[in-house]
Amino acid sequence: MPFGLLLIGLAALLLSGCRESTRGTGHSDTGGTIVIATSSEPDALFPPAAMSMEARQATELIYEYLADVGVSMNTIGDRGFVPELASRWTWANDSMSIAFTIHQNAKWQDGRRVSADDVAFTYGIYSDSTFAFAGAEDLADIDSVTVRDSATAVFWFAKRTPHQFFDAAARMLILPRHILGAIPRDSLRTVTARMTPVGSGRFRLGGWNRGTSFELDAVADHYRGRANPDRIIWTIAPEYQTAVTRLLGGQADVFAALRPETIAELGGKSRFNVVSLPGMDYVFMQLNLRDASGRDAPHPLFASRDLRRALTMAVDRRAMVKNLFDTLATVSIGPAVRAFPTTDTTLAQIPFDPAAAGRLLDSLGWRRPANGGIRMRDGRRLAFTVIVPSSSMSRTRLAVLMQEQLRQVGAEMNIDQMDYAAFSDLLSGRRFDAALAAWHLGSSPAAVRDTWTSAAAKKGGLNYGGYRNPAFDNLVDSALEADRIADTRRYFKQANQMIVDDAPAIWLYEPRTVLAIEKRVRITPMRPNAWWLDIANWMIPAAERIPRDRSQAAGQSSRKP
């Protein structure tokens, strides 16, 4: 069966097991164990230091935000946000402050009450340059956090912005001051690595058997209601096939990184539902507009906008994505993903047109030899090297396909595979011609400011290719300052059209997030960039439980983190 039809059919089956959720109300039918197969373990369980996907999953279940982004992915204003620690909030008349009221029954997992002091303390850590939280710049518009009374924390802003509420409510997981307050800020990363985390969430750490598994257990008396599952266990399987074997063998219930061949295999297994979510990543070939030596000089090839456009015309992105991923990825539309309500997908793309690419290269003086070889201009070959992380099989295969397509128009692309550490070092040092890179986006499209604007092109910024266009910068600023989704969408459309036309990268594909889930697990609607957020409300009916669901020692893991 074609993958597209397979996904449609399985999605139809899924609807019967998917119910609405308020992310915080327990269900009377509690019990059971959900086992998730994953490739690695958390890098940290202290939220400001957590960087890996597994760390984010664990910390967002152990700790809580004041309020979090809803399934709609709207981050403008406060509409669609789901309350967590905050039971309510009040805007000042001039919108320069927001007062959050902490739920009166909210407690830390050691029994202490959560207070407004904890909120102010948390902001102090996240914004402290000594600690150096990676996302500190996202909090720049927050001027201060004060304590009105034990239950009320007030966020004060330097200016009014559409994302004020998001910045205050959903960028910081609230931390316990009574546990962490005496630790010097510059020691927090090392000290917390040896501590058992104490959060206010619906799960607590049950154990961590390093290299094998880690477990979260439901908090029995949680103020927002006991989680439905007794426990969540992540079983660590660094090899893809090992994870699949555990899934098919009944040792895991959830796997969130399916490949096409596995979906075909699951098509004949009545035990699984397959969930396909819009992806939050986009993959692109970064073209370095500056000299590959890292010097601040124009690149001899890619400083030319017309040459970049010609190379883009030579690449059949649609055919490559279909060849490699079938329905598990879509052709990228630029530095954005379709999951955001502010993304307009009707951008005019540079078309696949090898003949037009050849004519444009001719006009630029790149002449092709009579034997159809590599083009030359002033004694220089039209040749460059693309760096590719060897850990990514899909990018490696994509590079080979692109290499042949570019050869057809007389351009030579050499492929240099390397481990991720070496790849990252060259990328951040800007010592490359081209790179098959990827960005993972969070809950807001604001990341484009950090990755493609002129400010981000400066040394130390994330715009590694050095793209600079003040008009693009202004449109991004307008998009992020607009207080209506329609206006944000309109400005982003203009900005994204501009960068697509400038071709500082060849926009390749958006991979979808595809999960396999045992049918005995009843799920709730999922947010595209965080499918696990409502797992506390997933349910395993008593009649469908298996022996491990009834075991009180399911994790078999050490209590020490």
Side-chain angles (χ1 to χ4, degrees):
M1 181 184 297
F3 296 136
L5 293 178
L6 176 63
L7 284 174
I8 291 170
L10 290 172
L13 290 173
L14 174 64
L15 291 177
S16 63
C18 188
R19 59 190 175 84
E20 291 298 327
S21 166
T22 58
R23 279 243 316 267
T25 57
H27 192 281
S28 59
D29 194 6
T30 58
T33 298
I34 296 174
V35 178
I36 301 168
T38 191
S39 61
S40 60
E41 59 192 349
D43 59 341
L45 291 182
F46 181 54
M51 298 296 290
S52 71
M53 188 63 67
E54 290 78 12
R56 185 179 162 208
Q57 291 170 6
T59 55
E60 289 187 330
L61 298 176
I62 295 172
Y63 298 86
E64 294 176 294
Y65 296 104
L66 291 170
D68 203 4
V69 179
V71 174
S72 68
M73 297 283 290
N74 175 48
T75 57
I76 297 176
D78 60 5
R79 182 175 299 178
F81 278 76
V82 180
E84 290 194 352
L85 267 175
S87 59
R88 63 182 184 276
W89 48 84
T90 305
W91 290 77
N93 290 335
D94 60 1
S95 298
M96 293 296 286
S97 68
I98 308 173
F100 290 89
T101 301
I102 306 300
H103 196 289
Q104 62 179 352
N105 296 322
K107 294 187 298 183
W108 296 108
Q109 289 158 3
D110 62 1
R112 290 278 293 266
R113 290 282 301 274
V114 179
S115 73
D117 280 335
D118 295 310
V119 179
F121 168 73
T122 297
Y123 169 72
I125 289 178
Y126 275 83
S127 60
D128 191 338
S129 58
T130 303
F131 180 79
F133 167 55
E137 288 187 7
D138 296 327
L139 306 176
D141 290 334
I142 300 174
D143 188 64
S144 62
V145 178
T146 60
V147 175
R148 179 177 297 171
D149 54 52
S150 63
T152 310
V154 183
F155 282 75
W156 301 87
F157 300 91
K159 62 179 180 180
R160 291 184 291 182
T161 67
H163 50 81
Q164 281 173 267
F165 188 85
F166 174 58
D167 292 345
R171 289 198 187 273
M172 296 172 285
L173 288 163
I174 305 304
L175 305 170
R177 182 172 191 163
H178 69 284
I179 292 176
L180 304 173
I183 303 172
R185 298 281 171 86
D186 59 0
S187 301
L188 275 169
R189 293 180 190 271
T190 54
V191 174
T192 55
R194 301 189 297 269
M195 298 172 63
T196 297
V198 176
S200 62
R202 297 172 75 187
F203 289 95
R204 69 174 80 239
L205 181 66
W208 189 349
N209 201 358
R210 289 193 179 269
T212 303
S213 65
F214 62 99
E215 174 184 323
L216 301 186
D217 297 337
V219 174
D221 58 349
H222 197 270
Y223 72 99
R224 288 197 286 128
R226 184 198 188 280
N228 287 336
D230 287 334
R231 62 191 62 81
I232 312 295
I233 298 173
W234 284 259
T235 178
I236 299 167
E239 299 297 326
Y240 176 83
Q241 195 53 50
T242 302
V244 171
T245 299
R246 291 180 185 177
L247 183 73
L248 296 178
Q251 298 168 280
D253 302 300
V254 180
F255 183 45
L258 290 185
R259 295 176 184 169
E261 62 270 21
T262 308
I263 292 179
E265 187 175 2
L266 290 177
K269 309 286 185 181
S270 59
R271 292 171 30 225
F272 299 99
N273 284 316
V274 175
V275 184
S276 180
L277 300 172
M280 299 305 298
D281 298 351
Y282 64 92
V283 178
F284 55 99
M285 187 163 85
Q286 176 95 67
L287 303 176
N288 194 349
L289 279 57
R290 312 304 293 173
D291 189 87
S293 67
R295 295 182 299 111
D296 191 21
H299 192 280
L301 299 179
F302 302 136
S304 167
R305 180 178 186 267
D306 284 341
L307 186 138
R308 301 194 303 266
R309 288 176 59 85
L311 296 183
T312 303
M313 290 179 196
V315 176
D316 191 348
R317 299 180 297 150
R318 189 171 302 280
M320 288 193 301
V321 172
K322 179 69 175 176
N323 179 294
L324 292 176
F325 304 103
D326 200 83
T327 59
L328 300 191
T330 52
V331 177
S332 179
I333 55 174
V337 293
R338 291 167 171 83
F340 291 131
T342 53
T343 298
D344 192 307
T345 62
T346 62
L347 301 176
Q349 297 293 319
I350 297 174
F352 170 56
D353 191 339
R359 291 193 296 271
L360 183 51
L361 290 170
D362 285 341
S363 71
L364 295 173
W366 292 99
R367 302 301 182 188
R368 196 163 196 182
N371 63 3
I374 302 303
R375 293 173 180 270
M376 303 279 293
R377 188 180 75 175
D378 299 330
R380 180 188 180 96
R381 289 165 62 85
L382 181 51
F384 63 94
T385 298
V386 62
I387 58 174
V388 184
S390 55
S391 57
S392 175
M393 183 184 302
S394 59
R395 281 188 248 175
T396 300
R397 294 170 62 190
L398 190 72
V400 173
L401 295 176
M402 292 181 68
Q403 183 182 52
E404 175 57 23
Q405 291 184 356
L406 289 169
R407 188 186 66 78
Q408 295 292 329
V409 299
E412 179 179 76
M413 185 179 85
N414 300 302
I415 301 171
D416 188 2
Q417 283 186 271
M418 59 191 66
D419 63 56
Y420 187 78
F423 173 84
S424 181
D425 182 61
L426 289 179
L427 197 64
S428 59
R430 309 185 185 199
R431 301 186 308 277
F432 66 97
D433 289 322
L436 280 185
W439 284 121
H440 176 79
L441 304 182
S443 300
S444 165
V448 70
R449 179 180 275 163
D450 300 324
T451 50
W452 293 103
T453 62
S454 301
K458 296 177 182 177
K459 187 175 182 179
L462 299 178
N463 182 355
Y464 300 132
Y467 173 67
R468 290 179 171 89
N469 186 331
F472 172 81
D473 301 341
N474 291 335
L475 286 167
V476 167
D477 288 341
S478 296
L480 296 176
E481 291 168 8
D483 55 10
R484 295 193 313 148
I485 287 181
D487 292 334
T488 300
R489 186 182 178 92
R490 175 167 55 85
Y491 285 123
F492 265 133
K493 181 178 182 178
Q494 295 176 51
N496 289 336
Q497 187 65 69
M498 187 172 292
I499 196 171
V500 165
D501 292 341
D502 284 345
I506 300 178
W507 315 104
L508 295 170
Y509 64 92
E510 283 180 49
R512 294 183 68 83
T513 300
V514 184
L515 302 89
I517 304 175
E518 270 270 7
K519 284 185 179 178
R520 70 192 186 90
V521 179
R522 306 297 198 267
I523 66 172
T524 55
M526 299 177 183
R527 202 174 84 193
N529 72 326
W531 57 266
W532 60 86
L533 279 181
D534 200 39
I535 202 168
N537 288 323
W538 293 14
M539 183 185 68
I540 303 174
E544 299 179 39
R545 292 175 192 165
I546 58 180
R548 74 159 174 261
D549 291 315
R550 292 182 277 275
S551 170
Q552 292 303 308
Q556 301 289 318
S557 56
S558 165
R559 285 277 165 177
K560 294 181 180 180

